Amino acid sequence: NKMYCEVIKAPWSSNSGRAVVCNNWLFAVSSVCSSFCESKFNFKKCKELCLSFIQDAMLQKQWKRAAEFLTFYVESLEKDFSREPVGASEIIWRIGSEILRHHPDSSVKEFNTFIEPMKTLSVKRYLKVCLEHAFYLLHNGLIDEAYQNLSLAESWRFGEQTVIQDKELKLIQAYLGLLDYYKWSKQKNILLEHGKYLSVEQEMHSCFRKAAVNLKEIIKIPGVWDQFVKCYVDMLEFYGDHNEARQVLNEYAYNPKFPANPNAHVYLYQFLKRHGESKKSLISVLKILHDIVPSHELMIDFNTMLQKSKKRKRRRLGLEVIFTALDYAGCKENVKAWSCLARQMKQIKHLAWIKQEWNSRKDWWPAFHFSHYLAKKNWQENESLSYEKALVGGCVLSENHQQFGKKVKIVTSLAAFFEMLPKPSGVSG
Amino acid sequence: MFTCSRAGRDFKERCAQCSEVNWGLTDGGRFYCRSCHNVTEKITEVANTDFTSNIRIQTVSKGLRKQGKTDGGCEWYVCEGFQFVLRKQAEALEALGVCPQMKDEVLWNFWRCYLQKTKQAYCDRPAGETVKPLSVCDSSTDVDSDPERLSLLYSSLSESEGDLQTDCSFVSSTSKVSESTSVHSRSGSVDGSLYLMKNPKEKLRMTMPMTLSFCYMALLWVRETMTLSELLRFVFEGHIPYLNVFQHFPEKMKLRGPDIKIFCVESWPSYEEVFNKMHELAAFLDLPRFPDITDSCFLHPDMLCMKYLMEANLPDEMHNWTCRVVKKTCIGEVDFLTLVPGNKSTRKVKYDVLAAAVIVVTTFCVLLISFTCSQPKMCMFYSDGPYFELKKWYKVLKCTLDVEQKKLDERRAKYLWRCEKPLFYSAKKKSKVLKRRQIVVNLQNQFGKLSGSVKPAEKPNPSSFQLSWSEENTDGSCFHGHSLKGILQEKRGLLTAMNPRYWLCTLKLCNEKLCGHLAHYGEADFPQSYHFVLRLFSFLLRIEPSYIHDEVCMIEHKLFNKKLRKKTKYKTGPRK
């Protein structure tokens, strides 16, 4: 659920180094020189060395050892690291959190005890630490505690820092919105199960109002807010505000300021489908999805829709869609995809279309889909897949293209199909 | 410290030197003559070290001698702090077995001389500078039981107190910073900030590394069995106070601001730094020729070679060869080895590095150690024991060195630099510092518990030998008794090296003063065998291999002096 990923450079020069990824956070460690000369090891170098021991231990999941070395590292806090891009307090916060997340003897109580001083150590980082703390609590299923923490953080004010940390504040509010939605959703279930209770309804409505305000705010900011959008739309649909919901989803999918996000189109498509929108609007949404993620599983539905269309253009598009989907490894073993293609190929009257599509693929599809090895494997593992593939393969692989002129006969004999496959050197089928 | 109690005025005898009756009282309870600084043997019955009750000082220091307002500190001077440090170090050295004479006589005399030369005490009031009354606040010392404690004279105080009063405004007259005039209202050393402002090159300003220079100088004077590398190693291992010594300062000596910069160090002193400062110091103090280093001294290359050969697990037989190299290069001469301060023409001798270099040269030159040359695969035994096999030796020592490296790295990673006494630069920062300290302590406790049951890192016992090899070990890892016969051969009844060819490290030596090194030690230029041997001695001496390389080059040049001048077929290049 992390909305950001930071790359932080270590305070020392990273002219040579390993990079360690730790909980979305990357830091580079320069290999500390190995020398017997003690005078080379001043305070700073000793702490660098200590840090490298900590990181080694963490990479090997030796949490006790990491904790041990951390005890020797923490005195760095007393040294002013203000010139460094990443100071001791940040390092200690992140490493300490990581150790406490994984250490067998750790507990939520331990974590809470640890995190409080971390918040105060740096005013500039206050909200960020609060946010991470809330994530930890959520991860451990402590929703109420997380909510309390986030509320507290939301009310924090510290002069211009509040302005500087605006992003974190918005995130905090967004998560509060999400948790309000969660509460709302629980109330909703009670309502659906037990019927109307005034108190429940009122509470539900107040949750909705709080959630709506925060969620609406955050999805205004260009970004990837899938979960937030879904929750917001869910609430809007429940209260019947379809217009608002549609507007939100449209914004999310089509606003050019927002990063290209296939999910946005999926959500929009699902919404439109739910509300019985016209084929035209559905197709236009899926078309965009096809452009962004040609291998998406919805492409199969798309093809099915297009196949049935009366319009030539759409049927043509359907063929293109399904071929493109099968270009990707994701659909290789998708029986439905192959059966769609097979079905369409049987129905198609315009052989030129198939030739067009096959033209750019004839060099590599045989090895990609129709190798001897794959054929055997498919046959052993999944007969229906094998069957559908054989149908398609039979069409495209046949030497005599004249056959296309007639109605393509179903190749019932798989042996014949096998005959068409490029033989591996030496071994016969 | 010299306090002038009433007792001083009561003492009416005439001074033996100058016949004046003008007595003051030292902290040691002895009378001193203010005119000629002659110290008597007479000890007063009443010894009162509490300077604040001293009348003379009270009249003198109208503002200067106040007790610190808020924290009960007293006023003290930077050199007093260093004196305390030196005392602690000397005591530690004595505990390690150094002769008491070093501490009681030699070191103190050097220190006193230094103070005199830098005009911090023991001298006439220098022109233009003002008097700085000195004291050592150490109420913990029992005066009568410590007669050897160094006392600092007042600068020759003029008889009339009027002069002193004007002189006590020294701060305003010498300092450029006006804020330090309020120095007596703030605790910490009196002259800390002035001290830091002084040009460091001028008159050898005292620093923490220099305390070790003093120690080493004294050790050298008494020809103690401790080399500089050993001294420094004891410092690294914590047997000699260095880091955080100030936390043992008496309660009343508080550290603030600039004092922290002076006394609180965050790095270990380097061999070079201590060594060079020592020589500067010796010259500065106008010391005479040091006691001779003869061949019976520990510091003589023959003796040190024996020690290092044992530590390096090399055969005892090699000692004959190292002695021959020493003799041939004349580095065993008394005049070469003995320090004559101020003599710029002779090379300053690093006894330990020199001995290590001799062994390196012997190993490669005389024995032509080549790791690639064919050696009998089996260990050949003659009636007098096994032959020395280089490959086996290499394996054993490499293993040992790797283990030691790991141990050292862990020790460094676990080193705690902060002392228990929290330091703060100013009263303003005090609360912040204390808060941080509390957080640190809490974190240490929390994660300490999560460390599981871990033994605290043990301080190694002080030992002269870092590596020891016992012939009783059944794994045959001790090579002391091995014979070199396998490598040498008999030639006309004499054992000579099998191959007299030798590859020099470098044809021409650099000018040390210009570029800091005699020769340049580059990774690519030498074979792994050479790197390894240098690494071994780098470990034993805890210095960079390049310094050993310098000495090796120097010895090579001495050894092949004639041949070099002839400029025959000896070439430089990668050595076999």
Side-chain angles (χ1 to χ4, degrees):
Chain A
N1 242 347
K2 305 277 158 63
M3 290 294 154
Y4 54 90
C5 177
E6 285 174 280
V7 175
I8 297 164
K9 286 220 170 69
W12 42 90
S13 66
S14 50
N15 47 6
S16 68
R18 327 182 294 250
V20 180
V21 178
C22 165
N23 195 32
N24 270 6
W25 172 60
L26 178 80
F27 54 94
V29 185
S30 69
S31 46
V32 184
C33 64
S34 154
S35 165
F36 289 119
C37 182
E38 290 295 349
S39 63
K40 290 216 176 305
F41 284 88
N42 55 8
F43 178 88
K44 190 172 167 189
K45 283 259 178 301
C46 278
K47 292 311 168 199
E48 282 177 22
L49 191 56
C50 189
L51 195 58
S52 70
F53 274 97
I54 296 174
Q55 287 160 344
D56 275 339
M58 283 168 75
L59 285 171
Q60 294 172 51
K61 305 203 194 290
Q62 294 171 333
W63 304 110
K64 287 196 175 151
R65 190 170 153 88
E68 185 196 345
F69 278 96
L70 188 59
T71 61
F72 297 107
Y73 185 80
V74 293
E75 64 170 7
S76 307
L77 272 181
E78 298 189 60
K79 166 95 173 145
D80 183 28
F81 268 63
S82 56
R83 279 189 222 107
E84 314 286 358
V86 180
S89 58
E90 181 159 7
I91 291 176
I92 290 169
W93 162 49
R94 293 200 186 270
I95 288 183
S97 307
E98 195 65 13
I99 293 176
L100 287 172
R101 275 192 201 102
H102 295 108
H103 198 288
D105 298 337
S106 164
S107 64
V108 174
K109 190 166 170 225
E110 287 273 358
F111 192 94
N112 290 341
T113 315
F114 165 75
I115 206 81
E116 288 305 324
M118 294 297 117
K119 289 179 186 171
T120 55
L121 270 178
S122 169
V123 149
K124 291 184 192 160
R125 219 179 297 129
Y126 180 82
L127 288 181
K128 202 183 282 185
V129 180
C130 287
L131 200 52
E132 296 265 355
H133 186 197
F135 291 154
Y136 171 82
L137 292 168
L138 284 174
H139 186 75
N140 281 280
L142 298 165
I143 306 207
D144 291 331
E145 279 87 342
Y147 194 88
Q148 275 166 23
N149 262 286
L150 286 171
S151 302
L152 204 65
E154 201 211 356
S155 59
W156 181 76
R157 297 284 177 271
F158 202 92
E160 66 165 21
Q161 277 299 320
T162 325
V163 176
I164 294 171
Q165 295 182 46
D166 181 55
K167 281 201 190 118
E168 284 84 352
L169 189 61
K170 286 228 154 56
L171 276 176
I172 288 171
Q173 288 166 335
Y175 277 94
L176 275 170
L178 211 55
L179 292 179
D180 279 319
Y181 165 82
Y182 176 74
K183 278 192 213 169
W184 174 89
S185 153
K186 274 204 293 191
Q187 306 286 357
K188 184 183 85 173
N189 290 337
I190 295 172
L191 202 72
L192 293 175
E193 219 178 291
H194 299 288
K196 290 185 169 216
Y197 283 105
L198 192 64
S199 58
V200 170
E201 263 193 350
Q202 277 178 339
E203 218 181 299
M204 218 174 115
H205 210 78
S206 97
C207 284
F208 162 68
R209 259 183 278 123
K210 278 192 278 178
V213 162
N214 284 329
L215 291 174
K216 190 168 177 184
E217 272 306 302
I218 198 73
I219 59 183
K220 276 191 201 159
I221 303 173
V224 179
W225 306 113
D226 290 354
Q227 201 57 42
F228 301 86
V229 167
K230 269 168 75 170
C231 297
Y232 187 40
V233 166
D234 186 32
M235 287 194 296
L236 288 172
E237 280 194 272
F238 181 82
Y239 289 108
D241 193 352
H242 302 309
N243 280 327
E244 176 71 9
R246 184 183 294 113
Q247 203 173 349
V248 164
L249 288 170
N250 269 308
E251 260 295 294
Y252 193 52
Y254 295 125
N255 188 335
K257 289 199 193 125
F258 279 67
N261 183 356
N263 292 337
H265 301 274
V266 173
Y267 299 154
L268 180 58
Y269 167 75
Q270 287 168 342
F271 173 81
L272 294 173
K273 197 167 168 202
R274 278 200 294 275
H275 294 277
E277 296 283 327
S278 68
K279 277 261 163 9
K280 190 175 173 192
S281 38
L282 290 176
I283 284 172
S284 73
V285 175
L286 285 179
K287 175 99 186 25
I288 298 174
L289 187 60
H290 161 72
D291 288 332
I292 308 175
V293 188
S295 58
H296 201 279
E297 55 184 8
L298 276 178
M299 293 299 105
I300 300 171
D301 292 6
F302 192 28
N303 168 269
T304 312
M305 217 190 300
L306 289 170
Q307 263 190 44
K308 295 184 200 154
S309 172
K310 293 199 178 84
K311 296 200 178 148
R312 223 181 95 130
K313 237 173 142 183
R314 285 192 183 159
R315 290 200 306 274
R316 178 70 185 87
L317 178 63
L319 191 66
E320 183 191 323
V321 162
I322 194 68
F323 257 105
T324 316
L326 285 166
D327 278 341
Y328 294 87
C331 284
K332 256 175 124 171
E333 315 219 326
N334 192 322
V335 182
K336 193 139 187 261
W338 286 105
S339 85
C340 278
L341 180 54
R343 198 184 330 131
Q344 194 165 17
M345 285 177 81
K346 273 190 274 171
Q347 290 168 354
I348 248 164
K349 296 185 178 86
H350 305 270
L351 298 169
W353 289 1
I354 299 182
K355 271 193 192 165
Q356 275 173 355
E357 291 299 330
W358 183 242
N359 213 19
S360 59
R361 292 175 169 90
K362 62 178 187 240
D363 294 325
W364 61 281
W365 262 46
F368 191 55
H369 286 301
F370 300 120
S371 72
H372 218 85
Y373 164 75
L374 269 174
K376 269 206 330 209
K377 185 164 170 272
N378 295 146
W379 177 238
Q380 279 164 1
E381 290 172 5
N382 191 343
E383 278 184 30
S384 9
L385 174 67
S386 205
Y387 181 70
E388 301 294 344
K389 273 179 83 171
L391 287 174
V392 176
C395 284
V396 294
L397 290 177
S398 55
E399 294 288 328
N400 190 356
H401 288 244
Q402 289 271 328
Q403 278 192 348
F404 285 17
K406 299 164 190 166
K407 282 209 173 147
V408 175
K409 297 228 158 84
I410 296 167
V411 178
T412 50
S413 162
L414 279 165
F417 168 63
F418 272 107
E419 282 303 306
M420 292 186 207
L421 295 174
K423 297 260 187 310
S425 50
V427 180
S428 63
Chain B
M1 126 174 138
F2 279 105
T3 62
C4 311
S5 69
R6 278 191 216 100
R9 295 191 195 157
D10 292 340
F11 189 52
K12 294 287 183 214
E13 268 186 49
R14 283 194 176 274
C15 170
Q17 256 175 244
C18 65
S19 308
E20 297 264 16
V21 180
N22 190 3
W23 296 107
L25 195 69
T26 75
D27 224 16
R30 297 174 194 210
F31 292 110
Y32 82 104
C33 171
R34 268 189 249 121
S35 315
C36 69
H37 307 166
N38 176 32
V39 182
T40 69
E41 297 305 303
K42 205 162 168 78
I43 303 174
T44 62
E45 288 92 83
V46 179
N48 187 1
T49 50
D50 185 3
F51 63 88
T52 51
S53 71
N54 180 283
I55 295 170
R56 178 82 195 263
I57 289 175
Q58 278 173 345
T59 50
V60 157
S61 61
K62 283 207 169 155
L64 272 167
R65 282 289 175 209
K66 270 191 220 163
Q67 284 261 325
K69 281 183 184 163
T70 45
D71 52 9
C74 70
E75 286 168 351
W76 55 278
Y77 287 83
V78 169
C79 61
E80 294 176 55
F82 278 117
Q83 185 169 308
F84 185 88
V85 171
L86 275 175
R87 191 175 68 156
K88 283 282 171 208
Q89 290 173 339
E91 284 169 4
L93 281 166
E94 203 177 338
L96 285 172
V98 169
C99 65
Q101 191 195 14
M102 176 253 169
K103 167 181 154 237
D104 299 335
E105 293 175 21
V106 181
L107 187 59
W108 293 134
N109 281 332
F110 285 157
W111 178 242
R112 198 169 49 193
C113 193
Y114 170 79
L115 288 173
Q116 203 165 19
K117 292 258 175 187
T118 53
K119 311 236 190 305
Q120 288 173 84
Y122 285 100
C123 55
D124 293 342
R125 186 159 55 86
E129 277 192 40
T130 50
V131 158
K132 296 176 198 172
L134 297 161
S135 69
V136 174
C137 314
D138 194 343
S139 43
S140 60
T141 316
D142 184 0
V143 168
D144 287 331
S145 65
D146 193 4
E148 274 79 39
R149 265 199 60 228
L150 190 67
S151 321
L152 300 174
L153 273 166
Y154 275 117
S155 312
S156 157
L157 306 169
S158 52
E159 275 60 30
S160 71
E161 294 181 7
D163 281 354
L164 278 164
Q165 280 179 5
T166 50
D167 289 338
C168 287
S169 58
F170 78 95
V171 169
S172 52
S173 64
T174 56
S175 83
K176 294 167 196 163
V177 180
S178 54
E179 62 165 299
S180 53
T181 48
S182 60
V183 74
H184 49 266
S185 64
R186 189 181 58 179
S187 52
S189 70
V190 174
D191 57 343
S193 40
L194 281 175
Y195 202 82
L196 286 175
M197 275 191 274
K198 265 197 272 181
N199 181 359
K201 291 230 169 86
E202 171 202 296
K203 289 187 191 167
L204 277 182
R205 190 185 71 185
M206 190 67 185
T207 59
M208 279 304 289
M210 256 172 85
T211 59
L212 297 176
S213 301
F214 268 96
C215 290
Y216 177 55
M217 197 161 65
L219 286 170
L220 185 58
W221 186 275
V222 299
R223 295 176 291 182
E224 237 338 297
T225 56
M226 193 187 289
T227 58
L228 178 55
S229 53
E230 260 187 287
L231 172 68
L232 290 176
R233 182 165 59 83
F234 289 142
V235 170
F236 304 148
E237 291 175 356
H239 305 299
I240 296 177
Y242 183 76
L243 283 181
N244 300 338
V245 189
F246 55 82
Q247 66 181 328
H248 302 299
F249 277 3
E251 258 306 299
K252 290 185 175 175
M253 281 168 77
K254 307 271 180 194
L255 269 87
R256 292 292 178 269
D259 310 328
I260 297 175
K261 287 204 187 95
I262 298 169
F263 290 103
C264 182
V265 284
E266 287 193 341
S267 59
W268 298 112
S270 72
Y271 185 106
E272 286 287 301
E273 190 187 356
V274 177
F275 182 78
N276 290 334
K277 266 289 182 299
M278 186 220 100
H279 284 269
E280 272 184 61
L281 208 50
F284 176 71
L285 299 179
D286 276 330
L287 295 180
R289 180 182 163 116
F290 272 52
D292 285 347
I293 307 284
T294 60
D295 53 14
S296 57
C297 284
F298 176 76
L299 294 173
H300 192 273
D302 287 341
M303 297 285 251
L304 277 178
C305 279
M306 186 148 54
K307 176 182 189 252
Y308 292 145
L309 282 170
M310 274 178 73
E311 252 190 301
N313 203 8
L314 288 165
D316 297 337
E317 276 183 30
M318 273 186 70
H319 190 243
N320 301 331
W321 293 93
T322 61
C323 289
R324 281 166 79 164
V325 170
V326 168
K327 192 150 184 208
K328 188 125 195 275
T329 53
C330 303
I331 58 176
E333 306 281 303
V334 169
D335 291 329
F336 178 83
L337 292 170
T338 308
L339 171 61
V340 179
N343 184 345
K344 294 202 176 138
S345 58
T346 55
R347 189 154 189 272
K348 300 179 208 147
V349 180
K350 297 174 181 156
Y351 304 100
D352 34 22
V353 190
L354 188 67
V358 168
I359 297 177
V360 172
V361 171
T362 312
T363 308
F364 281 97
C365 163
V366 176
L367 305 179
L368 185 69
I369 298 301
S370 164
F371 285 36
T372 59
C373 80
S374 60
Q375 295 247 325
K377 291 250 154 67
M378 289 185 313
C379 180
M380 286 163 55
F381 274 84
Y382 268 60
S383 53
D384 37 349
Y387 280 2
F388 176 68
E389 273 180 81
L390 199 64
K391 281 204 174 107
K392 217 176 155 199
W393 174 83
Y394 169 76
K395 253 201 241 169
V396 171
L397 255 84
K398 177 150 196 333
C399 194
T400 309
L401 270 189
D402 288 341
V403 166
E404 292 297 324
Q405 176 79 71
K406 276 208 180 85
K407 274 201 271 182
L408 266 181
D409 277 343
E410 264 208 41
R411 222 171 63 213
R412 286 161 184 163
K414 291 185 178 176
Y415 198 81
L416 287 173
W417 292 77
R418 295 270 164 264
C419 67
E420 279 169 27
K421 216 185 193 179
L423 297 171
F424 25 94
Y425 277 82
S426 64
K428 273 191 281 179
K429 296 210 169 168
K430 183 173 175 174
S431 61
K432 187 175 176 192
V433 167
L434 288 177
K435 218 166 90 173
R436 285 255 159 150
R437 170 57 60 106
Q438 191 56 50
I439 293 176
V440 168
V441 168
N442 291 340
L443 284 172
Q444 284 172 333
N445 287 336
Q446 183 174 25
F447 286 96
K449 285 196 205 113
L450 291 174
S451 307
S453 52
V454 175
K455 280 183 291 171
E458 286 154 16
K459 202 159 88 162
N461 279 332
S463 161
S464 191
F465 283 85
Q466 294 178 76
L467 300 174
S468 64
W469 312 91
S470 171
E471 303 214 344
E472 284 149 16
N473 282 354
T474 47
D475 58 359
S477 60
C478 176
F479 297 87
H480 294 155
H482 287 211
S483 164
L484 293 174
K485 285 204 186 84
I487 302 170
L488 307 169
Q489 64 183 22
E490 292 242 16
K491 207 179 185 183
R492 287 188 250 120
L494 290 167
L495 281 175
T496 55
M498 277 215 276
N499 186 333
R501 292 185 65 188
Y502 182 75
W503 303 80
L504 275 180
C505 287
T506 169
L507 251 186
K508 190 164 178 220
L509 296 176
C510 272
N511 185 344
E512 210 163 15
K513 289 201 180 88
L514 284 177
C515 72
H517 282 280
L518 271 183
H520 296 273
Y521 177 53
E523 283 280 320
D525 302 335
F526 300 100
Q528 288 303 312
S529 50
Y530 186 65
H531 289 316
F532 177 73
V533 176
L534 282 195
R535 190 168 164 243
L536 173 60
F537 285 102
S538 168
F539 166 68
L540 291 176
L541 303 180
R542 304 295 173 91
I543 58 174
E544 284 296 309
S546 53
Y547 293 122
I548 308 176
H549 179 68
D550 279 349
E551 296 289 306
V552 167
C553 293
M554 189 266 293
I555 293 176
E556 282 174 352
H557 275 251
K558 279 196 172 12
L559 199 56
F560 301 111
N561 198 8
K562 289 185 211 132
K563 302 231 168 83
L564 270 174
R565 276 192 266 125
K566 274 190 207 161
K567 279 191 189 152
T568 50
K569 54 193 179 257
Y570 284 78
K571 17 186 177 155
T572 55
R575 163 207 310 269
K576 270 226 164 261

